[in-house]
Amino acid sequence: AQSVTQLGSHVSVSEGALVLLRCNYSSSVPPYLFWYVQYPNQGLQLLLKYTSAATLVKGINGFEAEFKKSETSFHLTKPSAHMSDAAEYFCAVRVQGAQKLVFGQGTRLTINP
Amino acid sequence: EPEVTQTPSHQVTQMGQEVILRCVPISNHLYFYWYRQILGQKVEFLVSFYNNEISEKSEIFDDQFSVERPDGSNFTLKIRSTKLEDSAMYFCASSSGTGETQYFGPGTRLLVL
């Protein structure tokens, strides 16, 4: 069975600082990996996805994530945080042939002025 | 840009009552999903639906739950006899194919009293 662990339920960074949100997955078969963002009172919006092509994936709003098979990780980064990045971020995994997404518990990102 | 919509945004009901949550998926999508998020917990997969049939469901999706596509645009989740533990945010999602990106709606917050 697949699972996702997001380290840190709450991350706080200063505006302009590096954002690093951690995600580790467990899967017995090659996974597809996703990061979704949820702004207050809105649905889940896809930030980026890894589908076995390039291991470094670029997404919207300046975010990127790197798939590291040896570390079973898919951490999300952004070089310089902006106030508008404050939201909840979810890492998710899906395996080929399955339809369901398996989500991590989410990380709430706070940006300090 | 096409988006998934859900109604109502909030619903309060008494334990034992039936509720129907409605979703309008993106118009050319063929796969439909329901997920839920109990407050403070992970987003959990409930069910996927394709070609007027359930294609995958979780152990959460027991006999009190049902899904339907009553017409060409709506996708509904019915809970026959609500329990206190059904209180959660319910998300609808849709995708154009089984391996394609799932696009989420803004959710319906259900409160069972």
Side-chain angles (χ1 to χ4, degrees):
Chain A
Q2 308 83 43
S3 66
V4 175
T5 301
Q6 292 182 239
L7 294 175
S9 59
H10 192 182
V11 170
S12 182
V13 302
S14 297
E15 191 174 16
L18 171 72
V19 174
L20 170 60
L21 304 182
R22 299 178 187 274
C23 172
N24 288 89
Y25 69 91
S26 171
S27 176
S28 57
V29 297
Y32 297 147
L33 294 159
F34 305 82
W35 276 100
Y36 282 85
V37 60
Q38 185 180 29
Y39 298 103
N41 301 315
Q42 295 187 29
L44 300 169
Q45 179 183 2
L46 182 70
L47 267 181
L48 49 79
K49 62 181 179 182
Y50 166 76
T51 55
S52 74
T55 56
L56 181 63
V57 182
K58 294 188 183 299
I60 62 172
N61 302 336
F63 284 93
E64 63 182 36
E66 186 172 9
F67 172 68
K68 292 187 176 180
K69 184 178 179 180
S70 61
E71 299 177 9
T72 62
S73 68
F74 190 57
H75 301 331
L76 182 71
T77 60
K78 181 174 180 177
S80 177
H82 192 273
M83 296 299 291
S84 61
D85 295 326
E88 184 118 21
Y89 292 80
F90 294 92
C91 183
V93 63
R94 183 178 66 79
V95 296
Q96 193 171 11
Q99 295 170 16
K100 69 176 184 181
L101 291 170
V102 176
F103 284 86
Q105 71 270 35
T107 298
R108 182 167 299 278
L109 177 65
T110 301
I111 311 297
N112 302 312
Chain B
E1 184 175 327
E3 60 182 15
V4 176
T5 59
Q6 291 184 242
T7 54
S9 58
H10 294 79
Q11 176 136 12
V12 180
T13 190
Q14 296 292 322
M15 189 170 56
Q17 294 297 304
E18 175 184 285
V19 295
I20 298 176
L21 309 183
R22 290 182 167 79
C23 169
V24 178
I26 294 173
S27 62
N28 63 342
H29 284 186
L30 301 175
Y31 292 80
F32 315 114
Y33 314 85
W34 284 101
Y35 291 81
R36 78 173 185 189
Q37 185 182 27
I38 295 172
L39 190 63
Q41 298 186 23
K42 297 183 180 185
V43 176
E44 303 172 290
F45 170 80
L46 292 177
V47 65
S48 61
F49 191 84
Y50 169 71
N51 198 26
N52 284 318
E53 289 184 349
I54 291 174
S55 47
E56 190 175 347
K57 63 180 182 178
S58 72
E59 60 273 13
I60 302 169
F61 194 87
D62 60 22
D63 291 344
Q64 71 160 342
F65 291 94
S66 62
V67 289
E68 190 179 26
R69 189 153 163 82
D71 52 43
S73 59
N74 288 282
F75 178 52
T76 62
L77 174 68
K78 181 191 290 186
I79 309 175
R80 289 191 182 82
S81 178
T82 50
K83 304 172 187 172
L84 295 176
E85 54 265 35
D86 293 328
S87 295
M89 178 74 91
Y90 287 81
F91 293 106
C92 174
S94 70
S95 66
S96 58
T98 186
E100 300 301 318
T101 298
Q102 293 180 25
Y103 293 87
F104 284 76
T108 293
R109 185 169 295 284
L110 176 66
L111 178 61
V112 182
L113 301 177

